[in-house]
Amino acid sequence: MSPTAPSVSRRLLGRLRDVMAGGGTAQDRLDRVVKLIAADLVAEVCSCYVMRAGEVLELFATEGLRKDAVHRTRLRVGEGLVGDIAAHARPLAIADAQNHPSYVYRPETGEEIYHSLLGVPILRGGRVLGVLVVQNRSLRQYIEEEIETLETVAMVLAELVAGGSLIPREEQIAADGNALLPLRIDGVKLNGGIGIGSAVLHKSRVVIHRLVAEDAEVEMARLKEALARMHRALDELLESQDLVKGGEHRDVMETYRMFAEDTGWITRIGEAIRGGLTAEAAVQKVHDDTRHRMTQITDPYLRERLHDLEDLANRLLQYLAGRGESPADLPDDAILFARSLGPAELLDYDRRKLKALVLEEGSPTMHVAIIARALDIPVIGQARDVLERVEPLDPVVVDGDGGTVYIRPGEDVMGAFQANLKHRAQRIAVYATQRDLPPVTLDGTRIGLFVNAGLPADLAFLGDSGADGIGLYRTEIPFMARSDLPDVETQAQLYRQVLDAAEGKPVLFRTLDVGGDKVLPYWQGGVEENPAMGWRSIRITLDRPAVMRQQLRALLRAAAGRDLSVMFPMIAEVAEFEMARAVLDMEIGRERRGGGRIPKSIRVGTMIEVPALAYQMDALLPRVDFLSVGSNDLVQFLFASDRGNPRIAERYDTLAPSLLGFLRHLVQRADAAKVPISLCGEMGGQPLEAMALIGLGFRSLSMPVSAIGPVRGMIRSLALEPLAGFVQSLLLNPDHSLRDRLKAYAADHGVQIG
Ligand code: PEP
Ligand code: MG
C-alpha cells in the first residue's frame, strides 16, 4: 500500500463524518457525500445506487451524471456493471467500461463521455444495500488503494442507507430479496410446539455506532488490548481441564487459536484502522470482505473455517465493546437463534424466558433437541442462513411442528399463531384438571403412563403430570450439562434426588448412553464416519468399564434400601447384555463385601434398539426382568435411516406396517414369557402412534412429560376390543404407511388424537 493512501481516506472520512453528523435530510446528506467523494478521488462522477424492493438498484445521488436521472435510472441486480457489482458483492475496476461485455448504456444519465469505472458494493451485515461508483473521462487504471478507499467509504455510507430515512426500513431489500421483509424459512422439526417472541442472537452481533476514528493510534491500541484479552481467554479455555488431551475438541480449538493469531487477518484489520476506521468498524470491514470472498466455497472444511473466522470476528467485537463473553440479556419472550448450541449453553439461558430455539445447522444437535424437549421448548434445525436474515429483537414465530420459522411475520400469520397458542394453553389447562383421572380405556384396561426424564426440571413436573413413574431416566443428560465427568458421590447424590422426587413411584435408570449424536464436551472418541453405528452407548461403557462401574456403584448407593431398576442401552446381542449384567453383579458383590446397604430389590432390563436382539428372544427373555423398546434408534436401524439426517427425516413413517409388525412380534414374545415390555421412544408420546401401540398390545408407554395429558385423553376415549383386531388386520397391508387408516379409525370411533 502506498504511504499516501491511508491519509487520503482518513481525510475523506473526517469530512464524511462532518457531513453525516450535520443537518439536512438524508437525501441532502447523500448529495453532499457523493460530491465530497468525487472531489477527493479526483473523479468526474460519483454516484450512489440504493437497493429497492424487487432487487432493483435505483440511482439516488450523483455528482457528474445528469441530475434528472436521479430516482429515474434503475437497474436490476445482475444488469449492467452496477448490477454485476451488486450480484457478486465484489468491486469492479475497469479502464474501458463501455467495451466491457456487461456494460449497459442508459442515455438519460449522459454517461457516454466517461470511460473508466470503479464500483464497490455497499455492504452491511453481509447484505448488499447498494453500489457506490466513481467514473472518469480518461481510461484510468484504478489502483488497489483506491478500491480500498472506496470500500471504506461505502461502509460508512451503509449506515446512512440502513438508517431508514433514505428509504423505508421495510423496503430495504438484500440481494436475496428477503431482508427486512416478512420471511419464512423452512427447516426441520427438532421439537414441536409454537413459540412467539423477539429474536435474540446467541453471542449477539455487536451493533457498531462509531465508524470513523478520531485517532488511529488510539484505535490500534484498543485493537491490541482486545486481541490480547481474546487470546488470553482462548488460552485459558485450551488449558482448562475440560478438554481431553488429543481429543477432537482440542484439535478444533487449537486450529481456532491459530486463526486467532493469523497475522494476515490482524494486518488487514490494522490497515483498515490506518485507513480511518474505528477498531470495531475495521474488524467488521475485514470480516465482510472475507465473508463475501468465501461464500461461494462449498468445501465443508473450508466453510467450517469461515465459521471460525466469523466467530472470531464476533468475539473480538464483543471484547471491543467491553462485553466479554456473558450471555446477552434476555427479553421475557426470547426466541434464541444460533448456528448450533451445546447442551450446557442452552442451559445457561433462563428457561422461563426462552420461547423457542432456531438452529442454523443442527448437526450433530440431537442432544440439544433432547434437552429442549425435556424443557418443552420448540426447536427448529437446519434453518439455512437464518442468522444472516434475522435482526435482534425482530418479531418471530416458530412453528416447531411444521419446522418453520416466520421472521417479522405479517399480522395475519402472527394472529393465527397467537390464536393457536391460546388454544394450546387452554388444552394444557384442561389436561391439568384431568391429571388424577386414570388412563383406562373405555373397556376397562389400565395403561401405564411413564415419563422420560433427565433434567431436574422434569422431576418438578412429574407430580403434576399424574404419571406412574419415570420410564426412562437418561443419565447422560446431567453428564452433558457439566464440564467434567461426575464422580461416584456426585452421581449418587443426583440419583438420590431423582428417587426422592419420584416419591416411591418406579424409576427406570438407563446407564450412560453417549456417542452418536450425544457428545460429552470433555470426552470425545474421535471423528467417526458413521457415529450412529459407531463406538457409542454400551459399546463405550463396556470398553471403559471404570465409567460403568462407577455409575452402577452410584446407583446402588443412591437406591440403598429402596427399589432399583437399571437398563442398558443399545444392546445388540445377549452376550453383550450378559457382560453388562456381570459388571453390575460385580458391583453388587463389592458393595456387599464393603458392608454397604444395597437396594431392597434390583430389576435389570435392556432396551431393544438394535434389531438383531429381537432374533434372540428365546435366550434373552429368561435373563431380563423387563424390556423397553427405544423406537428412536430402532427405527433408524430397521429402516437404515439416520435419525439425525434431515434429508431423510420424513422418508419412512413410524406407522409403517414393517415397524408395527416388528413391534407386534416383540410384544407377543414378551407377553408369552410374562416379561413386562414398554416403549420409551418419541413415538409413544404421539396420541395416534400411542393408539397403534396399544392396539399392538403395549400396556405401558414412556414419553416426554408434556405428552402425558394428550395420551391420557386418547386412552380414555378408546375402546380396546375393536382396535386390536383392526390393527392386526392392517399388518398385512403393503402400503408405505398406515397413518391415514389409523386416523380414519380414530375419527370413526371418536378416539381423541388431538
Ligand atoms: C430411543 O432410541 O428410542 C431412546 C429412547 O433413546 P435415545 O433417544 O436417548 O437414544
Ligand atoms: Mg436410543
Side-chain angles (χ1 to χ4, degrees), residues 472 474 476 510 513 518 607 609 630-633 643 680-681:
L472 167 65
R474 290 183 161 108
E476 64 278 1
R510 175 176 77 183
D513 183 25
K518 282 181 267 187
M607 293 188 71
E609 304 185 275
S631 55
N632 304 339
D633 275 310
R643 72 191 255 194
C680 61

Side-chain angles (χ1 to χ4, degrees), residues 26 50-53 58 60 71 129 160-173:
V50 175
M51 185 85 84
R52 303 213 63 159
E58 180 176 310
F60 252 69
H71 299 304
L129 300 184
L160 186 64
V161 177
S165 17
L166 219 45
I167 54 170
R169 195 167 170 322
E170 51 288 2
E171 210 208 301
Q172 285 173 8
I173 304 297

